[in-house]
Amino acid sequence: MSRAFILLLDSFGLGATPDAVQYGDVGANTFGHIAAWAAEQGTPMQLPNLERLGLAAAAQLASGEWAAGFHQRDGFEGAYGAARERSTGKDTQSGHWEIAGVPVTFDWGYFPRTVPSFPAELTDELQRQTGVAGWLGNCHASGTEIINLYGDEHVATGKVIIYTSADSVMQIAAHEEHFGLERLYAICEAAYQLVKPYNIGRVIARPFTGSNGNYKRTSNRHDYAVPPPSKTLLDHVKDEGGEVIALGKISDIFATMGVSRVVKGPDNMALFDALLKVEQEAGDKSLTFVNFVDFDMMFGHRRDIAGYSNALHEIDARLPEFMARLKPGDLVVITADHGCDPSWPGSDHTREHIPMIFFGPGIAPRALPIADTFSDIGATLAKHLGVSPLSHGTAQL
């Protein structure tokens, strides 16, 4: 029996890639800077399970430095390495698609850092089609900050909050109760059609609840995403008789292409609970793909080093539960889709290596070479599951 699992720690970079200069990210290092911060606080990070699998050793291969507080130099239990992105962006879709064997070789469209960010012809037509009272924000912004800034006015007027980021994205936020979830989704569906000429990758519905300047986003987020331009690992597995189980936002990122079953969860720990359940249920030739989004959404973009560190400790503490349930023939990879260094200026993603840590019953521990494409991950899993080779990538095992 062969099964595969992708545990993606969203934004968990291991140090700037050689081309980071093109992105203004020379010196970025999500893991390294969190570890340095923790050591400076007098409380070095303790990630014993990830360390045994080879996390710190993989980071050393990527950055040339050992993360502060990590001392294991041999006796690792995983096949560990790092990968560089071939895609031209450092965004969510590019990272996930490339892992699954489809690098993004074209340039996404982006909205400028002007105020307003969105062209009037776009917002005017969206207002005409949906009948909303108007728009608030219309700028580059942190999603958690902008809903608190404009939430009261939104509730009072019915105007909808719109914003973007360094990603190829239009984000639309509205109150679930005062405005209505289905109404928000309908606006996002209309926006998805209207942004196509701008080559935008996603429109994201960002529902929230709360009152009086204290608002919180809910788990009813929905991404309206452009589908991958060609078949990914997910399609190969599903088309050849396997099951693809997508946890978290994976189904949205791949526009449901190649997905057999969708499992949602409001945060990292709820998704880990769901992962343990799926692990018991998944059958032969299955691919389980989970995105732990809190690292990026809650801590990376918010530049919350302490929160990011705590989230890593939470995942590490629960890994033994997952590992104890693995079956002969299982292959697991721990990876990421880009960096989002919480110590870095601004709030954008950072161009970094990602971890490529394989483990499972029968997987021989070893150091792997640095991969020149994230697609080596997908190629490795395709080989393991016995499906057709991907268009890009070389199997590492």
Side-chain angles (χ1 to χ4, degrees), residues 254-292:
F254 286 89
T256 74
M257 304 300 294
V259 174
S260 309
R261 178 153 55 113
V262 178
V263 181
K264 294 290 187 178
D267 53 37
N268 280 358
M269 291 301 97
L271 285 168
F272 207 99
D273 289 337
L275 172 65
L276 295 179
K277 185 174 185 296
V278 167
E279 185 182 14
Q280 297 289 87
E281 302 168 349
D284 187 30
K285 207 173 181 179
S286 63
L287 170 67
T288 299
F289 196 162
V290 56
N291 175 295
F292 293 106

Side-chain angles (χ1 to χ4, degrees), residues 183-207:
R183 188 180 177 197
L184 171 61
Y185 289 164
I187 292 170
C188 290
E189 288 173 3
Y192 174 72
Q193 297 300 324
L194 291 175
V195 300
K196 285 183 177 179
Y198 301 91
N199 199 27
I200 300 300
R202 288 180 295 165
V203 172
I204 305 178
R206 291 288 196 178

Side-chain angles (χ1 to χ4, degrees), residues 85-150:
E85 190 166 10
R86 185 175 294 174
S87 301
T88 56
K90 52 177 180 177
D91 58 277
T92 298
Q93 281 167 285
S94 296
H96 283 74
W97 292 359
E98 184 166 334
I99 286 170
V102 182
V104 176
T105 55
F106 58 85
D107 291 327
W108 292 109
Y110 301 92
F111 293 113
R113 288 186 174 275
T114 55
V115 180
S117 289
F118 303 108
E121 60 267 24
L122 170 60
T123 53
D124 288 350
E125 179 59 19
L126 185 57
Q127 185 173 13
R128 187 192 70 78
Q129 290 189 17
T130 60
V132 299
W135 310 110
L136 300 170
N138 201 342
C139 59
H140 279 241
S142 160
T144 53
E145 293 175 359
I146 200 168
I147 62 173
N148 281 323
L149 181 62
Y150 290 110

Side-chain angles (χ1 to χ4, degrees), residues 1 16 40 91 104 106 136 158 170 231 240 255 265 313 339 348 384:
M1 182 163 124
E40 290 169 1
D91 58 277
V104 176
F106 58 85
L136 300 170
M170 180 180 195
K231 284 192 173 184
E240 295 178 39
H313 284 90
D348 296 337
H384 177 75

